[in-house]
Structures are given as C-alpha cells and as structure tokens.
C-alpha cells in the first residue's frame, strides 16, 4: 500500500514543481505497483461499464452476477454444503467477495504483464468479456441482449487500457515495454468507481420497491384461525416477522418482476392452459392461512424455518381449471430466474392449503421472499414446493422432469420430517438453580405435533406444555419447567407427530431429504 502511495504521490502533489516531473516514469521493478493499479483500473472500468449496461438490460446480466450465478449452479453438492454450513446466510456475500478478490488479483497481475506485452491485457479483457457473456447467455432467464453488458464492459476496459498504457514517446529514454499514465490510472479508478456506483444504483431495487409499495392486497374471502403463542423469554415467536424470516435461494441478484408485467402460465399436460396477470390473480377468491415453511437444509437445532400468514389463491382450484392430464403426476413450478421445484400433483390437490401466494403477514411478499407471487404447500420442504418469483406452473411427470435440486441428487419427494428445537436456555449458558424455563418450537407440518418431551442427563422423559393448536400446518411452541440442580447438564428434546411417530434419535445430515436426530443443549446451573 505504501509503495503504491509513494508511486502515485509525486504525480499528485509534486507533478508541476520540477521540470519533467509529469513525464511518466519508466517501468522497472519500481513500476510494478502502478502497472498493477493500471490493470485494476481497466478491470474496474470494464465492470463499471458492464454494470451500467446491465442496469438497462437486466441486473442478472452483469458479468459478476452472471458468473456468480453460474458458479452457484455448478458447485458440487459437498462444496455447497460446506459453504452453507460455514457461512450460513452469508454464503452469497462470500461468493461475490471471492469473485471480487480473484478478479482484483488477476487484474493486478495482468496489469504488470500488459506493460511488457500489451496484447496480454487485451486478451485478458476479451476473455473477461467472453466468460461474462457466456455465463449471462446460459442463465435460464437470459435473452440475447444479456451478452451486451459483458461485451460493452470488455470494450470499455480495452479503451481504458489503450489510454493508460502507451508506448514511450520519442523524447523518453527507450525502455522495453510501455509506460503507464499515472494520473490516468487515478482518473480511471475514480471514474470506474463512480460509474459502477451509478450502475449499481440504477440496477437497484428502487423501481420494484415502489411497485411493491403501490400494491393493494384485497381482503381474503376466508381467514384461517390465528394461533396464539406462549410467552417465554428467549422462545421463538409464534409468527415470524417478515424481516426475521429465514431466506434460502440460489438468487445472487433478486429477480425483479413488476406486477404490471406479471403473467402466471399454467402449462404442460393440461386440457386448458391458463394465463393470469397479477390483477387476475388478485381478483380470484383469496384465502389467508398460517403455514410454517422450513428448509431441507436445516440442521438439527437450526433455524431455517418460519411461520407466517400467507394470503393466496388456492392452487388446487387453479389446477382443476387447467385440468391435468392423467399421468401428469408432477407440478413443476418455475421462477423468473429459471429455478424449478417439483411437487406431487396429488398433494397439491388433496385438500390442503396449497397456495399461489401474494401476501405475507398482511403485506405484499417481500422481494426476497418472492414478490410478486410464490407458492406455499404445507407439509413439504421449500425446495420441492415454495417457488418464489413464480411465473410458470407446468404439469409434467416425475419420470419426465427433474427439478433444480433433484438434478443435484436431493430427493424428488420432500415431506417435512418432524423436528423439535430448544430455544432457551441457549447452549453452554449458565442458569440459576431452581425452576428454569426450557422452551422451544416443534413442527411436523400437515401432520401436526401431538406431544413434545424433554429429558435431563438422559433421565426419564418429561411431557412439555404445548401452545394451543390451531391446525396441523404450523409449528407449536412448547415449554417445560426444569428444577435445575447445581452442575453441568444435558437437555434433550423430541417430538411426536399426530400420526404417533416420534422423532428418531439417529443423527443424519440434511442431504438428501432432511436431517434427523434429537436436539440437545448443555448448560451449567449454579
Ligand atoms: N425461485 C426460487 N424459489 C425458491 C428457492 C430458490 O432457490 N429459488 N429456494 C427454495 C427453498 S430451498 C426454500 S427452503 C424456500 C425458502 O423460502 P424463503 O426464502 O422465503 O424462506 O424457498 C424455496 N423457493
Ligand atoms: Mo430449502
């Protein structure tokens, strides 16, 4: 860093104080930092120009976003698993950060090489453009224009390279290679930063946020019962506020689907294909239901689950109108960015509250939870049912089509497994001796929770008190008062669903159809 500052500083502060000071320096060992910076400036200009172009084309067409999305789709299961386990909900940030760091280092190296052989610089930019364009074009939602941001970016980077790294003038001492225009590098870096910021802002969520604000949801024709919760400190709330609702998806850039452009197509093996606009959807008879959604990737003790009031059109009615052909046993739901889930047709139509949802806890769906339309099917993990940014429902068969995660070897069927979790006390916490609240949540959507038991130090099981039940599709809070004695103790929980099946103790990881095992915490009472 200091070397870089020292390299640039003379031009900045002393450029005009002595004759010849504004003549670019000859490249040598000393010139590497500035050459590296020139490389970074070219890459920066390329990415900034691409970002600007992507604001006009589609945010997902920007090269970094497209390459990132291609990486997300391509990473093998164990790597993805590791990333989620290690970085959790920050996995996307880590991926973008890694791509940024790789680009930064590569740009610096190319900068140094390009000063010796300019062709290396142009080649690297062409490569950047080609890889970006290829990644963008192969996105499921891409159109032909998606290549433009990468191409425009590479072209802009090439112009900046041509301006910054030039042949020495005749008056200058002959050197091998080229000289770098130092002040130009600073200008280019600043310009790229500004242009990138503008592109980022233009391609941001402003327009879609405003469109969401403008949506007025109609009153439901039928409102399901409202659950109440237990009030225990440290216990998960019965209803999860939208801002706290877990988020899991493959989208590096959130799909932006404007309600005015929205069309839902019911296609495939149906007698009557259907097309609905967002307004059509709101005119249908909407119902509101409390349903708990959970993720197959949730580990024992994990919190990839939430409970919300969903407003939506019954999916079964829509399917009945379309008329599935016999043998069309899979409902493939597709998002605006090409992600797919496959749900058994029978489950969608068996009378449960499968919804084409437009509202979440009294608001239009938040952008990250699928605005303007998503699917919710009680009893199934999200990856086989809860398609966000839903644009198509295609009747197919399990024999004919594998959805996104099924192609990556997750189970084609994803009924939720019974799950229970201790929310309080927290692991390794010190608690006072005497009566202590042990509490948490348990879920077995669409079967319902029948009872929850807690035990201490592998002693006898104790029956926990359950929050009042409103139906089988939501989680249930539970609590048990423990008379804590001094020392270190292990608390364990297990739930039994309404079909009488108790959670198995056997610990299995989430892959391929959901984790099993009892959650336990170790605490010290004193
Ligand atoms: N379009 C799209 N929808 C998706 C996904 C996705 O990657 N893309 N992930 C699914 C998974 S795995 C889960 S668990 C739920 C999570 O929904 P949430 O983010 O609203 O909690 O969304 C589902 N819907
Ligand atoms: Mo999930």
């Amino acid at each position: 860093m200091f070397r870089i500052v020292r390299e640039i500083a003379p031009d900045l502060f002393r450029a005009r104080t002595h004759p010849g000071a504004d003549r670019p320096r000859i490249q040598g060992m000393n010139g590497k930092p500035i050459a590296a910076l020139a490389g970074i400036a070219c890459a920066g200009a390329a990415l900034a120009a691409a970002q600007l172009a992507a604001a006009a084309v589609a945010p997902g067409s920007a090269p970094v976003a497209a390459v990132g999305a291609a990486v997300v789709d391509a990473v093998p299961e164990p790597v993805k698993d590791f990333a989620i386990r290690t970085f959790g909900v920050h996995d996307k940030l880590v991926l973008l950060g890694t791509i940024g760091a790789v680009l930064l280092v590569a740009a610096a190296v190319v900068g140094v090489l390009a000063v010796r052989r300019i062709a290396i610089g142009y080649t690297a930019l062409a490569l950047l453009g080609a890889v970006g364009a290829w990644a963008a074009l192969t996105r499921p939602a891409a159109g032909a224009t998606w290549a433009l941001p990468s191409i425009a970016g590479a072209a802009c980077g090439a112009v900046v390279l041509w301006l910054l790294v030039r042949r020495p003038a005749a008056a200058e001492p002959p050197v091998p290679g080229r000289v770098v225009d130092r002040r130009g590098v600073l200008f280019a870096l600043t310009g790229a930063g500004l242009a990138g910021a503008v592109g980022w802002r233009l391609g941001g969520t402003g327009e879609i946020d405003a469109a969401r604000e403008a949506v007025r949801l109609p009153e439901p024709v039928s409102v399901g019962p409202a659950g109440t919760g237990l009030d225990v400190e440290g216990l998960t709330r019965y209803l999860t506020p939208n801002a706290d609702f877990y988020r899991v998806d493959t989208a590096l850039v959130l799909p932006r689907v404007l309600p005015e452009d929205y069309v839902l197509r019911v296609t495939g093996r149906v007698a009557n294909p259907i097309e609905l606009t967002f307004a059509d959807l709101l005119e249908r008879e909407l119902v509101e239901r409390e349903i708990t959604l959970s993720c197959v990737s949730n580990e024992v003790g994990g919190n990839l689950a939430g409970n919300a009031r969903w407003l939506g059109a019954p999916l079964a009615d829509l399917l009945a109108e379309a008329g599935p052909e016999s043998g069309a046993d899979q409902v493939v739901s597709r998002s605006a960015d090409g992600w797919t889930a496959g749900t058994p047709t029978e489950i969608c139509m068996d009378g449960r509250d499968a919804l084409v949802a437009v509202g979440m806890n009294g608001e239009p769906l938040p952008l990250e939870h699928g605005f303007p339309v998503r699917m919710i099917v009680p009893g199934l993990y999200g990856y086989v049912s809860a398609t966000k940014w839903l644009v198509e429902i295609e009747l197919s068969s399990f024999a004919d089509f594998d959805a996104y995660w099924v192609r990556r070897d997750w189970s084609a069927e994803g009924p939720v497994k019974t799950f229970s979790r201790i929310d309080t006390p927290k692991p390794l916490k010190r608690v006072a001796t005497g009566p202590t609240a042990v509490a948490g949540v348990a879920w077995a959507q669409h079967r319902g929770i029948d009872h929850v038991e807690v035990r201490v130090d592998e002693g006898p099981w104790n029956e926990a008190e359950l929050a009042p039940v409103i139906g089988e599709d939501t989680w249930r809070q539970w609590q048990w008062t423990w008379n804590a004695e001094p020392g270190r103790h292990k608390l364990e929980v297990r739930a039994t669903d309404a079909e009488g099946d108790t959670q198995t103790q056997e610990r299995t990881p989430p892959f391929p159809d959901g984790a099993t095992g009892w959650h336990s915490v170790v605490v010290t009472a004193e």
Side-chain angles (χ1 to χ4, degrees):
M1 193 61 210
F2 284 118
R3 264 181 86 187
I4 294 174
V5 173
R6 239 192 299 132
E7 282 273 304
I8 302 173
D11 280 353
L12 266 186
F13 305 112
R14 292 192 278 120
R16 315 246 162 239
T17 59
H18 60 94
D22 56 356
R23 198 207 293 154
R25 299 288 154 78
I26 301 162
Q27 300 308 303
M29 273 310 284
N30 209 21
K32 271 185 187 159
I34 194 73
L37 266 190
I40 292 169
C42 292
L47 294 183
Q51 206 63 45
L52 271 175
V57 175
S61 66
V64 172
V67 169
V71 170
V72 168
D73 283 356
V75 287
E77 189 48 43
V79 178
K80 192 216 76 159
D81 206 54
F82 164 82
I84 289 187
R85 250 186 300 117
T86 316
F87 308 119
V89 291
H90 303 300
D91 55 346
K92 294 184 179 71
L93 236 97
V94 171
L95 173 61
L96 288 178
T98 308
I99 293 178
V102 168
L103 274 177
L104 198 77
V105 172
V109 171
V110 168
V112 171
L113 296 176
V115 168
R116 285 180 217 150
R117 288 202 57 185
I118 193 80
I120 296 177
Y122 291 122
T123 310
L125 281 163
L127 213 69
L128 184 72
V131 169
W134 169 81
L137 286 175
T138 51
R139 294 287 79 222
T145 53
W146 281 45
L148 293 180
S150 295
I151 295 170
C156 180
V159 171
V160 172
L161 177 63
W162 176 72
L163 288 172
L164 292 185
V165 180
R166 56 172 184 79
R167 283 183 204 290
E172 287 168 330
V175 288
R178 303 191 172 217
V179 289
V180 177
D181 176 351
R182 294 161 186 237
R183 240 167 307 152
V185 168
L186 275 178
F187 281 128
L189 279 174
T190 315
L194 288 175
V198 170
W200 186 261
R201 172 105 196 124
L202 287 179
T205 57
E207 190 188 13
I208 197 94
D209 288 340
R212 179 177 175 271
E213 290 290 316
V215 169
R216 292 287 162 269
L217 295 176
E219 288 298 314
V221 296
S222 145
V223 178
T228 51
L230 299 174
D231 189 17
V232 179
E233 209 189 305
L235 171 61
T236 301
R237 283 205 258 174
Y238 169 71
L239 274 180
T240 315
N242 291 353
D244 299 342
F245 208 94
Y246 81 100
R247 175 186 165 198
V248 170
D249 55 61
T250 60
L252 275 179
V253 173
L254 289 170
R256 282 138 222 211
V257 186
L258 288 169
E260 67 214 52
D261 302 333
Y262 184 80
V263 182
L264 173 62
R265 294 190 169 82
V266 185
T267 64
R269 294 169 58 180
V270 292
N272 318 298
I274 299 177
E275 279 192 9
L276 292 174
T277 64
F278 189 63
D280 293 337
L281 206 53
L282 295 193
E283 272 170 27
R284 293 181 73 89
E285 301 206 326
L286 304 185
V287 302
E288 191 174 52
R289 297 287 184 266
E290 290 179 358
I291 299 168
T292 296
L293 177 63
S294 58
C295 182
V296 68
S297 294
N298 196 37
E299 305 269 355
V300 170
N303 50 16
L304 298 179
N307 185 42
R309 291 183 73 83
W310 306 98
L311 174 75
L315 174 61
D317 296 351
L318 207 59
L319 293 179
E321 284 166 41
E325 289 170 10
S326 71
D329 62 1
Q330 178 171 227
V331 171
V332 175
S333 46
R334 188 168 279 113
S335 73
D337 63 352
W339 187 86
T340 50
T343 317
T345 309
E346 198 195 327
I347 284 187
C348 294
M349 302 184 77
D350 71 357
R352 73 183 73 197
D353 287 316
L355 299 179
V356 175
V358 292
M360 181 177 185
N361 290 327
E363 291 175 18
L365 295 172
L367 196 49
E368 58 273 30
H369 295 294
F371 181 79
V373 181
R374 77 174 303 171
M375 247 171 66
I376 293 289
V377 182
L380 302 184
Y381 287 124
Y383 83 105
V384 290
S385 66
T387 304
K388 307 193 268 189
W389 315 290
L390 175 74
V391 293
E392 188 183 356
I393 293 174
E394 183 191 355
L395 270 292
S396 178
S397 71
F398 280 97
D400 287 340
F401 186 82
D402 284 339
Y404 188 92
W405 285 115
V406 179
R407 250 173 272 161
R408 289 157 180 82
D409 295 330
W410 288 76
S411 164
E413 305 239 344
V416 297
K417 293 183 179 173
T418 303
F419 190 98
S420 57
R421 179 178 77 204
I422 300 170
D423 289 338
T424 183
K426 293 273 175 262
L428 303 181
K429 214 182 149 198
R430 288 174 187 281
V431 298
T433 54
T436 304
V438 180
V441 281
W443 59 84
Q445 294 96 300
H446 210 60
R447 297 189 299 279
I449 290 292
D450 187 71
H451 61 277
V452 172
E453 299 158 293
V454 187
R455 69 175 183 180
V456 183
D457 300 329
E458 305 191 1
W461 289 102
N462 306 279
E463 191 87 20
E465 175 201 343
L466 295 180
V469 69
I470 62 139
E472 62 267 25
D473 292 340
T474 57
W475 61 19
R476 279 182 97 171
Q477 296 164 309
W478 57 266
Q479 74 161 330
W480 175 68
T481 306
W482 170 40
N483 194 7
E485 284 171 13
R488 232 171 119 84
H489 301 285
K490 180 167 81 165
L491 302 168
E492 281 174 296
V493 65
R494 69 176 189 191
T496 301
D497 70 14
E499 291 172 358
D501 292 324
T502 301
Q503 277 180 271
T504 169
Q505 181 174 19
E506 192 197 341
R507 279 261 182 165
T508 57
F511 184 81
D513 63 355
T516 64
W518 297 336
H519 186 214
S520 64
V521 300
V522 171
V523 296
T524 305
E526 54 185 24

